[in-house]
Amino acid sequence: MNVALMKTKAEQALTEAFEASAAKLPGSAAVKARRAEAIGAFGSLGLPHRRIEEWKYTDLRGNLKDVLPPAIHDETPLTIAELIVALGPLAHVDAHRIAFVNGHHRAEFNDLRDASGLDVTTLGKTLSSAPTNVADALTKSDANGAIAALNAAFMTDGAIVRVADKATLAKPLLVVFVRAGSAKQTVTVRNFVSIGDAATATIIEAHVVLPGSAIESQGNALTEVSVGKGATLHHAKVAVDDGKCLHLADWDVVLGADATYRGFQFSSGLGLARNEINVRYAGEHGKLDLSGAYMARAHEHVDTTLVVDHAVPNCESRELFKGVLDDHGRGVFQGKIIVRPDAQKTDGKQMAQALMLSADAEFDSKPELEIFADDVVCGHGTTSAELDADLLFYCRSRGIPEAEARALMIESFIGEAIDKVENPELHTALMAFAVNWLSNAARG
């Protein structure tokens, strides 16, 4: 028997916000029709809650009490110097760049010079210039759940990235989403990434905040990725905030035959974060390496939920996620590997680990294997532990102060995941974010 749930204040507010802003959101009649269908789907689904198995550890329905108005327009003044401050260590990564401020493209911050083989445009522009294609691309939002439906309803902008067949990008593309100004609002963006056959590229998504901006924010970011036959994509997302933001993010990845996808996610300072990753193999001999590192303290909550769908034979997947939890910080990992009946010779391995710095921290882990083929090699594991007291004593006995010894041990733990990142400048930036988090924790 299905039990109908009464709409919460937040669910009602989301529907009312769409009704008030629908006419102002970009797009032609076809796009607006898809937006209306998406908000209708959300109305039927409601916000995810703990009775839904995939959301049992992150009750968004219970946690989201108020809804901030959508960021439909933005004229927040921002200088290039402020953008660099917001990027922090990422500013030192030599990369092409496209920038969005409060969910809207800001061309003055772009740097796409000499980007041979790379075509970058904006969703905001495409919504009007090619509405039918965009509307068709949104048709699966309903099936992807309530958060994807909200993204389709409220999206304002984002990056559309195409890498030509056989192209090799000389340097990464940095897609920057900056939150700036005093307005408390909800930012909804969507990206489309298409990597041509036999191409090689590195793409970095950065979700950052300008220091001194409004503390509260809500964000919904969805990135759809297609990796062509024999192509290689290095894809990273860095989400760093001040501890009061709601960050809902989704990667939807399809791998072609002989394709390689290396994805990495780093999160810190996120009040409540839900990072979803869905990967499907569309051709044989695909290779996947997913990894991530997250750091949470106070009452921060970081949820990483992924599904790797081995739909064809002879594919390989590896996942490694590590979290550092202090105070009442909570980490969630849900990882599912599905092996379809015809997906023989599948090789899949998964590991999730958490380092607990406080007795009040919490780590919930639910690794899953759904195997419907017999000629496979699959495994998963998960661990959580405190700092090794014997190793800490050893460091102190060698003259290393306790605080410094603890920091070194934490850096070593989180560094195993960050070492998955091959770009040296990005690797250095990620370690700097981790060190900054440790420094702030020590001062706190």
Side-chain angles (χ1 to χ4, degrees), residues 120-199:
V120 184
T121 186
T122 65
L123 179 62
K125 179 180 179 180
T126 308
L127 285 170
S128 299
S129 62
T132 302
N133 293 340
V134 175
D136 291 343
L138 302 178
T139 55
K140 63 180 179 179
S141 294
D142 301 359
N144 282 3
I147 305 307
L150 285 175
N151 186 279
F154 286 101
M155 61 178 182
T156 55
D157 216 334
I160 299 179
V161 180
R162 299 181 182 88
V163 178
D165 292 350
K166 300 181 180 180
T168 298
L169 299 191
K171 57 185 181 181
L173 171 66
L174 179 60
V175 184
V176 184
F177 297 97
V178 181
R179 180 165 60 85
S182 58
K184 298 179 180 180
Q185 53 194 351
T186 299
V187 174
T188 305
V189 294
R190 179 176 291 218
N191 307 305
F192 293 89
V193 176
S194 177
I195 309 299
D197 293 347

Side-chain angles (χ1 to χ4, degrees), residues 408-430:
L408 287 172
M409 292 170 65
I410 296 169
E411 288 176 38
S412 176
F413 172 82
I414 207 77
E416 184 181 354
I418 296 176
D419 284 345
K420 291 275 193 175
V421 175
E422 295 184 359
N423 182 284
E425 293 177 338
L426 178 58
H427 181 278
T428 299
L430 293 170

